[in-house]
Structures are given as structure tokens and as C-alpha cells.
């Protein structure tokens, strides 16, 4: 599987969907039929118009690294962009019990909607379910609850897709080198998101006959990235390509690579930090690509919460309402397309 083939497949799916809609519309009028398809939706302009003020409670984990800091700041900026949204932000925390109490406070205060990036999806499921039962729509961001009933809408990055994108890029770059040595620097192995990323990576590599030869797991921190990369480089005297799951820990990864004086391989990052994109743009390091894991998910959650609370629907869809589940894309950023993404990047 290659990046080119993956992109072409996506374009074909989109084109097919467009043709299907066109066919549906044509079929509704063919043969003199008077049936029509009505686009039961608000236009983008109508959605942007001010409505009744919506009070949204937002709770997320502590911003202990760049991506989470960007999540929080993007959510606040999104709320500020609407003059009909009042945002109440709970203090970021990695304590599930404290976050549960924050949700309970939002419910007791009678907010109109809750946007929740749980420190632990399973641990927050019951509190979110109670909010839903109280008639307050919950928008689940990034880390899923244990049951769909705990959320009115769920918006996620594509962890499995990140692995597929990274593996596909490496396959394309290495071509027919079936003896290539591929290494992987994962995040926290106990997290489902890390497991999904690794699974997608392995699946994509298998399409071109490759597999991960050397793998280490860090902890999404600079210190952890540097420590495990030093171990990896000592254990593997020759490497052709590395995928590092996270650009925040990638700062430490790059420090270890520089200290070892290794440059025989190329590296793909993950998440899409601004410093990673600047390095890609410069072409002065082994880092030549990164895979996006959007730091705008909570901002999208704010936008969805506003639509749902105001009874609006998403524009550009024929089906009325707001989808219950949205999975965002995981594109590969290279020197050729970095200008398209760097404005959305976060600082590590």
C-alpha cells in the first residue's frame, strides 16, 4: 500500500459518493417523477448566525505536554469565536475522580452541553451517562467511553489510521527493499491508542512485505523519548526507517539521534507539532514526515456542542442532524505539503 494509492482510493470513494448523490437526484426526476430530495440542513451561513446563548462545560486532562495544551487552547479559541457560546472550563486534571466531580458540577449547574476529553474513558463513562440521562448532551473527545450511550456525539483522531499512514509512507519510500530494517518508537503501551497505532503500522508494513524489526515504548515525554531511543540505537547498528508515534516525545528522540551521530535512516513523526514541521521543511534532519493527530478535536467538539444545543444540523450533509461519531483524517505531512498544515500545528 502506498501513500499515492491510499490518496487515490480516498478520492475514488469521494467521487463515488458524489456520483451516488448525483444519481439519486437524477433518479428522483427521471421519467417525469415529481419526487425531489430536499437538503434538510442549515447552510454554513445559517449555522454561523448567532442563536440563543449556549452554556458549554469543558473538561480535559492536565496540559502536561504540547498536544494537550493545544487541545485546551483550541477549545477556548473556538468558543471565543462564537458570540452565542459561554464556555465554562474546568481545571485540567489527570485525576479521574476529580474529573467526575467536574462533570457532576456541570450537571448541577444545568449547562446546555458538556465537551469532555476524559483522562480515562472507562472511568468517566458513568458520570457522562448520568449527564446524558439528565438531558445534557455530552460530546466525547479523543478517548472513548465504554458505551456509546454515554455521549451524544464522539469525535476522534484516527489512531489506527495514523499507523497505516506512517507504514504506507515508509513502504513507498523503501520500495522493494524487503530486507529493510524498520524501527518503531511507541507511546505508552498500555493505552489502547498506542496499541491501535502499532496495529495499523504493522498492517500497512505487511502490505509491502516489511515488519517492525526493533521496537521500544516511551511515555509521550521528552525525557522518555530520549531514553528509549538511546536504547534502540544501541541495540540496532543499522536502521532504514523509524516511526515515532508522538512529536512531543520526538524532541527527546531527535536529541538521542543527534547525540549518537546517526543519520543513515529517515524518520516519520506523529501528531503534527510545529517544531516537527519546521524540521521537515528545513530538510536538515532525519525527520522527513509526520502524521497528523488533530489537536483541534476539542475545538470541533465545541462546534458540535453548539449545533446540538441549538438544534441545528451540519451543513453540506443531506441527512439532517449531527452525526453520532466522527473520525478525523490522519494525513502525512511532508516538505511538499507542509504549508497546508503548519498553521494548525502545536508547539512541543
Amino acid at each position: 500500500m502506498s501513500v499515492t494509492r491510499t490518496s487515490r482510493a480516498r478520492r475514488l470513494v469521494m467521487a463515488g459518493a458524489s456520483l451516488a448523490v448525483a444519481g439519486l437526484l437524477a433518479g428522483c426526476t427521471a421519467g417525469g417523477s415529481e419526487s425531489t430530495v430536499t437538503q434538510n440542513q442549515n447552510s454554513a451561513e445559517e449555522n454561523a448566525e448567532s442563536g440563543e446563548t449556549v452554556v458549554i462545560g469543558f473538561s480535559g486532562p492536565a496540559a502536561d505536554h504540547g498536544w494537550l495544551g493545544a487541545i485546551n487552547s483550541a477549545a477556548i479559541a473556538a468558543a471565543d469565536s462564537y458570540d452565542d457560546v459561554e464556555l465554562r472550563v474546568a481545571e485540567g486534571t489527570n485525576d479521574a475522580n476529580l474529573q467526575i466531580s467536574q462533570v457532576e458540577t456541570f450537571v448541577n449547574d444545568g449547562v446546555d452541553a458538556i465537551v469532555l476529553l476524559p483522562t480515562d474513558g472507562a472511568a468517566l463513562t458513568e458520570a457522562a451517562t448520568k449527564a446524558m440521562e439528565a438531558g445534557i448532551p455530552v460530546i466525547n473527545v479523543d478517548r472513548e467511553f465504554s458505551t456509546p450511550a454515554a455521549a451524544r456525539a464522539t469525535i476522534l483522531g484516527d489512531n489506527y489510521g495514523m499507523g497505516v499512514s506512517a507504514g504506507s509512507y515508509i513502504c513507498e519510500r523503501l520500495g522493494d527493499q524487503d530486507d529493510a530494517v524498520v524501527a518503531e518508537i511507541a507511546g505508552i503501551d498500555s493505552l489502547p491508542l498506542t496499541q491501535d497505532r502499532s496495529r495499523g503500522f504493522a498492517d500497512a508494513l505487511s502490505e509491502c512485505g516489511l515488519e517492525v524489526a526493533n521496537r521500544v515504548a516511551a511515555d509521550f515525554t521528552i525525557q522518555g523519548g530520549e531514553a528509549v531511543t538511546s536504547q534502540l540505537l544501541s541495540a540496532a547498528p543499522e536502521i532504514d526507517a523509524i516511526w515515532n508515534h508522538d512529536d512531543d516525545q520526538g524532541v527527546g528522540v531527535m536529541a538521542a539521534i543527534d547525540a549518537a551521530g546517526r543519520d543513515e535512516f529517515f524518520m516519520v513523526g506523529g501528531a503534527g507539532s510545529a517544531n516537527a514541521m519546521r524540521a521537515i521543511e528545513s530538510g536538515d534532519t532525519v525527520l522527513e514526515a509526520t502524521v497528523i493527530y488533530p489537536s483541534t478535536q476539542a475545538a470541533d467538539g465545541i462546534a458540535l456542542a453548539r449545533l446540538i444545543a441549538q438544534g441545528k444540523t451540519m451543513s453540506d450533509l443531506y441527512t439532517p442532524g449531527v452525526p453520532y461519531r466522527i473520525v478525523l483524517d490522519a494525513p502525512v505531512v511532508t516538505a511538499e505539503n507542509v504549508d497546508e498544515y503548519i498553521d494548525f500545528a502545536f508547539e512541543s
Side-chain angles (χ1 to χ4, degrees):
M1 182 189 300
S2 71
V3 175
T4 301
R5 286 196 294 272
T6 302
S7 300
R8 184 179 300 119
R10 287 174 178 161
R11 289 197 298 270
L12 288 172
V13 169
M14 293 173 66
S18 298
L19 288 172
V21 171
L24 175 62
L25 292 172
C28 289
T29 57
S33 170
E34 296 180 357
S35 299
T36 60
V37 174
T38 302
Q39 201 165 357
N40 294 314
Q41 63 181 50
N42 297 98
S43 68
E45 291 78 12
E46 289 170 329
N47 279 345
E49 291 175 358
S50 294
E52 185 176 344
T53 297
V54 173
V55 179
I56 301 174
F58 172 65
S59 174
D64 52 13
H65 67 290
W67 187 86
L68 282 172
I71 277 280
N72 293 341
S73 60
I76 293 169
D80 287 345
S81 72
Y82 299 111
D83 59 11
D84 55 2
V85 169
E86 177 187 331
L87 186 66
R88 299 181 184 176
V89 182
E91 181 180 357
T93 179
N94 293 326
D95 182 338
N97 289 324
L98 176 56
Q99 197 171 31
I100 288 169
S101 71
Q102 292 173 346
V103 174
E104 291 172 344
T105 297
F106 287 147
V107 173
N108 292 335
D109 289 347
V111 300
D112 297 302
I114 297 172
V115 176
L116 182 59
L117 197 167
T119 186
D120 182 312
L124 269 293
T125 296
E126 183 177 355
T129 300
K130 288 180 179 178
M132 289 284 288
E133 291 172 347
I136 300 173
V138 175
I139 289 74
N140 181 198
V141 177
D142 184 50
R143 302 171 188 175
E144 287 191 84
F145 300 134
S146 300
T147 171
R152 164 57 184 84
T154 299
I155 184 160
L156 307 167
D158 190 353
N159 286 295
Y160 178 83
M162 282 184 72
V164 171
S165 292
S168 297
Y169 179 84
I170 288 173
C171 277
E172 185 171 85
R173 281 282 283 105
L174 293 178
D176 298 327
Q177 299 179 46
D178 55 7
D179 60 345
V181 178
V182 178
E184 179 182 4
I185 304 172
I188 300 172
D189 258 345
S190 62
L191 295 179
L193 67 89
T194 297
Q195 297 161 18
D196 287 344
R197 291 178 188 185
S198 289
R199 184 166 53 88
F201 189 52
D203 287 350
L205 290 178
S206 69
E207 291 292 320
C208 65
L210 294 176
E211 61 184 22
V212 175
N214 302 89
R215 185 182 187 279
V216 292
D219 56 2
F220 297 127
T221 68
I222 293 173
Q223 294 79 9
E226 185 170 9
V228 301
T229 304
S230 295
Q231 298 168 12
L232 171 68
L233 296 175
S234 295
E238 290 292 332
I239 300 173
D240 293 293
I242 296 177
W243 180 40
N244 166 50
H245 285 207
D246 180 75
D247 287 335
D248 276 319
Q249 72 184 23
V251 175
V253 170
M254 291 299 298
I257 291 171
D258 290 343
R262 298 281 292 272
D263 63 0
E264 81 277 8
F265 51 79
F266 68 90
M267 189 170 83
V268 179
S273 74
N275 55 297
M277 291 192 197
R278 287 191 291 267
I280 292 166
E281 194 171 31
S282 73
D284 294 333
T285 73
V286 296
L287 183 64
E288 67 176 47
T290 189
V291 182
I292 295 291
Y293 190 74
S295 60
T296 51
Q297 292 176 56
D300 291 331
I302 298 295
L304 292 179
R306 174 179 173 270
L307 291 180
I308 291 168
Q310 291 183 343
K312 294 179 178 178
T313 185
M314 290 186 71
S315 61
D316 297 327
L317 294 182
Y318 280 85
T319 303
V322 173
Y324 276 80
R325 183 181 174 85
I326 298 173
V327 179
L328 303 172
D329 195 16
V332 176
V333 178
T334 66
E336 284 70 36
N337 65 357
V338 66
D339 289 344
E340 299 176 28
Y341 298 97
I342 197 164
D343 288 344
F344 299 96
F346 60 94
E347 294 288 347
S348 290

